[in-house]
């Protein structure tokens, strides 16, 4: 077991949802925080709440898809605290459709944030984590990094890629003997605003379809059940326990088992379940 107390922890996407609750849970456990988000108002609220819990907080507006900005952020955080122990690459967006219906902007946006945001955060902070002598990379994938689903092609692709990148990084750290643990997180249905934000983005672009709205309503009403506070507690407890893989929620655990037991059949089962939920 390794406590987060006194550690410097970096959390991206900290303006709402799991990211906010990760920051607050880390603050409760005595960590020092570097929080970032593109939503400055939400980020400010997170920072205020973390400070009220007694945490030292460094706050920055940050677009994780901007490589230069992430590199500058890492340098600023290291300069501010003098050391960095943990990075939680949590920032992400939902959206996209089928391969036939998606345009290149969908792939650029979703992969830019969900995948390259993780790559940028990992590469920018990894030298500092190694130098700390007690580092930890925590990359947030998804249930859809275990099981691919129809109609969210770009999202599934990004989350599978996060899983592969993180598992390869873990092997590299072990092979090189670096003092850095590596964890991939697969949240199931956590009640955040990620689907609502995806719908609003599609509406602003003028590409929102009735099917998009029905799918988002299905996710919000039937699948996104776990409070983000509970998800954050599960993640931080798993980090403190040194787990390389954290499944958040019973749905993630069931899907993981299903894919392992029925690798050929699960796509048909997933489509059948999705159709049944849409009719309900």
């Amino acid at each position: 077991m390794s406590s987060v107390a006194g550690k410097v922890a970096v959390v991206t996407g900290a303006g709402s949802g799991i990211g906010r609750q990760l920051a607050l849970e880390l603050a409760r456990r005595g960590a020092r925080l570097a929080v970032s988000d593109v939503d400055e108002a939400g980020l400010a609220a997170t920072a205020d709440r973390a400070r009220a819990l007694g945490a030292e907080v460094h706050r920055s507006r940050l677009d994780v898809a901007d490589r230069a900005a992430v590199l500058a952020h890492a340098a600023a955080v290291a300069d501010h605290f003098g050391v960095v122990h943990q990075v939680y690459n949590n920032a992400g967006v939902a959206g996209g459709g089928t391969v036939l219906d998606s345009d290149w902007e969908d792939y650029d946006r979703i992969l830019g944030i969900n995948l390259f945001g993780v790559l940028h955060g990992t590469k920018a902070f990894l030298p500092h984590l190694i130098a700390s002598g007690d580092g930890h990379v925590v990359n947030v994938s998804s249930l859809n990094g275990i099981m691919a689903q129809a109609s969210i092609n770009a999202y599934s692709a990004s989350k599978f890629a996060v899983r592969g990148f993180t598992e390869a990084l873990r092997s590299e750290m072990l092979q090189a003997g670096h003092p850095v643990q590596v964890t991939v997180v697969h949240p199931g249905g956590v009640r955040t605003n990620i689907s609502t934000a995806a719908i609003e983005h599609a509406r602003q672009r003028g590409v929102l379809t009735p099917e998009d709205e029905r799918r988002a309503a299905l996710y919000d009403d039937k699948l996104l059940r776990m409070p983000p506070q509970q998800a954050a507690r599960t993640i931080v407890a798993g980090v403190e326990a040194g787990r390389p893989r954290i499944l958040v929620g019973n749905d993630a655990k069931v899907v993981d088992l299903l894919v392992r037991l029925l690798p050929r059949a699960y796509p048909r089962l997933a489509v059948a379940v999705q159709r049944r939920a849409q009719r309900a």
Side-chain angles (χ1 to χ4, degrees):
M1 299 291 287
S2 175
S3 174
V4 301
K7 303 284 180 63
V8 174
V10 176
V11 182
T12 67
S16 63
I18 294 175
R20 168 176 286 175
Q21 297 305 324
L22 274 174
L24 298 180
E25 184 64 24
L26 288 163
R28 290 186 189 97
R29 298 186 188 215
R32 295 174 285 167
L33 299 174
V35 294
S36 64
D37 203 298
V38 293
D39 175 9
E40 293 186 85
L43 182 64
T46 299
D48 287 345
R49 290 175 62 179
R51 290 189 182 103
L53 292 168
E56 179 184 355
V57 181
H58 179 279
R59 186 184 93 204
S60 301
R61 185 194 182 280
L62 181 68
D63 176 0
V64 296
D66 184 338
R67 184 176 304 158
V70 176
L71 290 169
H73 176 60
V77 170
D79 183 64
H80 178 85
F81 289 104
V83 66
V84 184
H85 299 96
Q86 300 181 345
V87 58
Y88 294 76
N89 288 307
N90 162 78
V93 293
T98 67
V99 174
L100 290 174
D101 292 337
S102 299
D103 58 31
W104 289 115
E105 183 179 339
D106 293 320
Y107 286 101
D108 289 342
R109 175 173 176 267
I110 293 169
L111 294 174
I113 296 170
N114 291 1
L115 174 57
F116 277 91
V118 169
L119 268 62
H120 294 159
T122 300
K123 282 187 64 66
F125 282 101
L126 190 56
H128 302 294
L129 304 186
I130 293 170
S132 77
D134 186 17
H136 206 133
V137 176
V138 184
N139 290 336
V140 178
S141 176
S142 168
L143 177 152
N144 294 117
I146 300 171
M147 179 186 76
Q149 285 183 262
S151 302
I152 51 171
N153 183 270
Y155 182 78
S156 288
S158 70
K159 293 303 185 177
F160 266 87
V162 167
R163 173 185 171 185
F165 169 77
T166 307
E167 291 181 358
L169 175 67
R170 184 185 308 124
S171 296
E172 292 172 8
M173 294 297 100
L174 290 169
Q175 185 179 58
H178 290 312
V180 177
Q181 296 185 75
V182 181
T183 297
V184 62
V185 179
H186 295 283
V190 179
R191 185 163 289 282
T192 71
N193 66 355
I194 191 168
S195 63
T196 303
I199 287 295
E200 183 57 31
H201 179 74
R203 181 178 287 112
Q204 290 174 358
R205 290 176 55 210
V207 296
L208 183 64
T209 68
E211 176 59 26
D212 292 331
E213 294 189 283
R214 282 194 297 271
R215 187 166 60 247
L218 169 67
Y219 270 73
D220 285 344
D221 293 342
K222 300 185 184 245
L223 300 178
L224 304 184
R225 298 291 183 87
M226 179 181 285
Q229 297 92 331
Q230 183 179 345
R233 287 194 296 270
T234 299
I235 294 168
V236 178
V239 168
E240 289 195 321
R243 293 180 190 147
R245 191 166 181 257
I246 301 172
L247 299 174
V248 182
N250 289 331
D251 49 354
K253 294 174 184 177
V254 168
V255 163
D256 182 57
L257 182 61
L258 174 67
V259 171
R260 289 171 184 270
L261 293 176
L262 301 170
R264 293 181 62 187
Y266 93 76
R268 293 182 182 276
L269 292 172
V271 169
V273 169
Q274 197 170 28
R275 286 173 176 168
R276 181 179 297 177
Q278 288 171 341
R279 291 194 299 267

